[in-house]
Amino acid sequence: MTHPYSCLEMYPSAQFNPSQNFSQLYASEDAEMLLRDVPWETYSTARLLSTEDLQLIRSYDKKPKEEQKMILEQDGFAYAKTFMTVLKKITKEDTVQYTLALINTMLSEDGKNAALFHSEEDSYTPLLKLLPKENGYIAESACRVLVKLLGARTKSPEITQAQASCSSSPSSTTATGGQDSGRPAGLVGEVLATLLDWITQQLRVGPGVGVAGAGAGRRGALCVWSLACLLRDRPVRAMLLPRGGLSLLTPFLTPPTSPPQLQVLYEAAVCVWMMSFLPSAAETFFNARALPALVEIAKSVSKEKVVRVVVMTIKNLLNMEGCPFASEMADLNVLKVVSILRQGTWADPELEEVLECLEEELAAAVRAETTFEKYRTQVLSGTLDWSPITSDPTFWKDNAQAFEAQNFQVVRVLLKLLEVSKEPRTLAVACSHLSLFLQHHPHGKHIVQELQGKELAMGLMAHPEAEVQKQALLCVQKLMISNWQVFQAA
């Protein structure tokens, strides 16, 4: 079923809402900064600011909120340009801090004010230059402004053009899955690349002590919130993947010990959920050990919004092409976890529907995986025998895609047995199983030939044991004849 939560309209606003603690933390600092007095006239005398800039700042600074709102409604573009001029031309930290506080407050009061900065040819470079600053408030405030401006520019020509080109491609899909999108074109793409580099660099410090703490905890929380905002655009997800974003987010997927940490966990889970729409992310998810972390959260966290996003992520991983996580989900007993969640009481009826759907899908996957897992264990043991599996077409049909797991590990082991095994029965069974794989996998012939399987099978056609000869011959026939069904009938 296609569930409403499988699309990003789950978040209708342009901005991802940060936690109250997170907002209050920065809002109080911004307010404290705005209590200062800045000698704007000095900058005008030094010709760093024009007379017009000075007049605009005087008319806006220290005014009541309602008056500032009216000013921006009348001539907001001019004020946005002036604020950017300050950041471009003035380097004194106190003034830079004050200006960033003005902009952040302006954007927090009304997210639509972000559009005032989009008329500027480049409102981003002055902010990007502030990210490496040692002053924590300046670097973090610059990041906050950049995220708000980029988040409000979802419908910008650069991003819209990139998404449209993806949508028009024959291999493209919607936001709910399919092929990965490319990097946004032009200036926005360059800005996003630089910002993502900075964010991932900060995340390498680790989750720290949480949003209410200092240093890594506060910076980490800011970066997670930033990604939760930015990843709403598909191209950004593809940009984050090669930067190790998933591995950097996984440490935040831990059961919280405080409300602020719960919110950071939720935002990190939202990031991971959005990354789970990337087909190319399967291996990265596996290497990052994200699934075990998600399952642990599902077991220990009862907050409904967290459960919802974790369940949807697990559903996406289960439905990835080739079912790469089916085996791990069986090992982690995810079906039992979901069954327990179904017994809970949830305010959202759609979450109950998702849990029911996921339970059914997991049950089917576990049934298939359990049977195939037993077979895989037998193959990896290096000793094969005739069994009901050999004569069960349903097994080979239902599990054809399961052979793709771990880069066709089972197929490679079967071929290795043809090369090294001295046991005639194992050789005959291995040839038979390869024949069945060729029969049921749509690309089986190409895969086995690429792994030098034809040469190995042909070598066994001269084996002294008749059964080995027979099975090797059948295997070679299926490799060499395109329409082997017609040949068999003849």
Side-chain angles (χ1 to χ4, degrees):
M1 69 185 260
T2 301
H3 195 272
Y5 283 135
S6 65
C7 61
L8 294 185
E9 282 70 19
M10 177 180 177
Y11 304 107
S13 61
Q15 289 297 110
F16 187 89
N17 293 324
S19 68
Q20 185 178 8
N21 182 281
F22 185 93
S23 300
Q24 289 177 346
L25 177 67
Y26 283 110
S28 62
E29 289 191 351
D30 291 342
E32 185 178 343
M33 292 292 175
L34 294 177
L35 292 175
R36 301 174 180 177
D37 290 316
V38 178
W40 298 112
E41 290 78 4
T42 303
Y43 298 122
S44 179
T45 302
R47 296 186 178 180
L48 293 173
L49 295 177
S50 66
T51 302
E52 181 183 358
D53 288 330
L54 179 61
Q55 290 175 345
L56 289 171
I57 291 174
R58 279 176 172 173
S59 66
Y60 184 87
D61 191 23
K62 307 295 185 184
K63 296 296 188 292
K65 288 184 179 180
E66 287 302 317
E67 188 174 342
Q68 288 179 338
K69 181 180 178 181
M70 292 177 60
I71 289 172
L72 294 177
E73 289 175 351
Q74 293 172 1
D75 198 10
F77 293 105
Y79 286 89
K81 182 177 180 180
T82 292
F83 294 151
M84 282 295 123
T85 298
V86 174
L87 296 181
K88 289 176 184 177
K89 295 186 176 181
I90 298 174
T91 58
K92 186 174 173 59
E93 283 195 350
D94 286 354
T95 305
V96 172
Q97 289 176 329
Y98 191 93
T99 306
L100 288 170
L102 270 178
I103 298 173
N104 265 310
T105 302
M106 167 184 171
L107 296 175
S108 297
E109 291 291 334
D110 188 349
K112 294 179 182 178
N113 286 333
L116 301 176
F117 293 87
H118 295 161
S119 63
E120 276 287 284
E121 182 179 348
D122 182 8
S123 295
Y124 304 112
T125 300
L127 295 163
L128 291 174
K129 289 180 177 179
L130 297 176
L131 291 177
K133 293 290 184 181
E134 292 184 5
N135 184 297
Y137 178 83
I138 289 178
E140 293 171 14
S141 296
C143 174
R144 290 159 56 209
V145 174
L146 280 166
V147 170
K148 291 172 183 177
L149 296 185
L150 289 166
R153 199 160 186 167
T154 305
K155 302 301 182 183
S156 67
E158 294 92 339
I159 289 183
T160 302
Q161 181 182 1
Q163 292 177 337
S165 63
C166 292
S167 299
S168 61
S169 171
S171 62
S172 67
T173 64
T174 64
T176 58
Q179 301 297 318
D180 301 349
S181 304
R183 162 176 162 168
L187 175 63
V188 171
E190 295 174 7
V191 173
L192 281 167
T194 303
L195 181 57
L196 288 175
D197 286 340
W198 183 83
I199 289 173
T200 51
Q201 181 183 9
Q202 308 309 307
L203 285 177
R204 288 187 174 90
V205 177
V209 295
V211 68
R218 166 180 163 135
R219 185 69 60 86
L222 169 66
C223 291
V224 171
W225 167 80
S226 299
L227 290 177
C229 296
L230 297 172
L231 289 173
R232 294 181 72 248
D233 293 316
R234 284 179 292 148
V236 181
R237 299 172 216 167
M239 294 173 67
L240 180 65
L241 190 63
R243 289 172 166 81
L246 271 173
S247 297
L248 295 172
L249 285 164
T250 302
F252 292 87
L253 299 177
T254 55
T257 58
S258 66
Q261 288 181 356
L262 176 65
Q263 181 64 23
V264 176
L265 162 63
Y266 172 58
E267 291 169 0
V270 168
C271 293
V272 173
W273 169 62
M274 288 189 279
M275 293 297 289
S276 71
F277 287 104
L278 288 177
S280 61
E283 183 178 354
T284 308
F285 263 95
F286 185 81
N287 293 336
R289 303 297 295 155
L291 180 58
L294 291 167
V295 174
E296 190 59 35
I297 292 169
K299 290 179 181 178
S300 58
V301 179
S302 59
K303 191 70 172 178
E304 184 161 327
K305 66 178 183 179
V306 176
V307 173
R308 180 171 56 236
V309 74
V310 166
V311 166
M312 287 309 305
T313 306
I314 292 174
K315 192 174 189 299
N316 280 355
L317 295 179
L318 178 63
N319 292 325
M320 277 188 172
E321 185 177 358
C323 302
F325 293 97
S327 177
E328 189 176 9
M329 288 187 186
D331 292 341
L332 293 170
N333 209 356
V334 179
L335 177 58
K336 181 178 179 180
V337 175
V338 172
S339 297
I340 292 173
L341 289 174
R342 276 204 67 196
Q343 297 172 17
T345 302
W346 308 105
D348 183 359
E350 291 180 339
L351 174 57
E352 295 179 351
E353 293 177 18
V354 174
L355 285 168
E356 181 181 0
C357 178
L358 180 57
E359 185 179 39
E360 293 173 359
E361 292 175 353
L362 277 169
V366 168
R367 282 194 299 270
E369 188 60 32
T370 301
T371 304
F372 183 81
E373 198 58 28
K374 288 181 180 178
Y375 169 70
R376 175 178 171 275
T377 301
Q378 182 185 13
V379 172
L380 295 182
S381 72
T383 302
L384 299 178
D385 203 346
W386 299 108
S387 68
I389 285 178
T390 307
S391 58
D392 182 10
T394 302
F395 170 83
W396 295 93
K397 180 180 179 181
D398 291 347
N399 291 286
Q401 301 299 321
F403 280 85
E404 298 177 5
Q406 299 183 50
N407 196 20
F408 294 93
Q409 180 194 43
V410 170
V411 177
R412 291 175 183 274
V413 174
L414 287 172
L415 292 172
K416 190 66 177 179
L417 291 176
L418 298 191
E419 181 181 359
V420 303
S421 179
K422 304 299 181 182
E423 172 58 42
R425 183 173 296 177
T426 293
L427 290 171
V429 175
C431 286
S432 174
H433 288 184
L434 284 168
S435 296
L436 290 163
F437 170 73
L438 290 166
Q439 176 181 342
H440 291 280
H441 194 284
H443 307 294
K445 179 179 176 181
H446 172 74
I447 293 162
V448 173
Q449 286 183 333
E450 200 168 56
L451 296 173
Q452 310 301 314
K454 184 171 76 172
E455 291 79 0
L456 292 171
M458 291 181 68
L460 293 175
M461 290 170 60
H463 195 276
E465 291 287 336
E467 187 62 23
V468 176
Q469 292 180 22
K470 174 185 174 182
Q471 298 300 333
L473 175 61
L474 290 172
C475 184
V476 171
Q477 287 175 344
K478 289 181 181 176
L479 280 166
M480 298 183 66
I481 300 173
S482 298
N483 196 343
W484 65 268
Q485 291 95 336
V486 174
F487 175 84
Q488 189 180 49

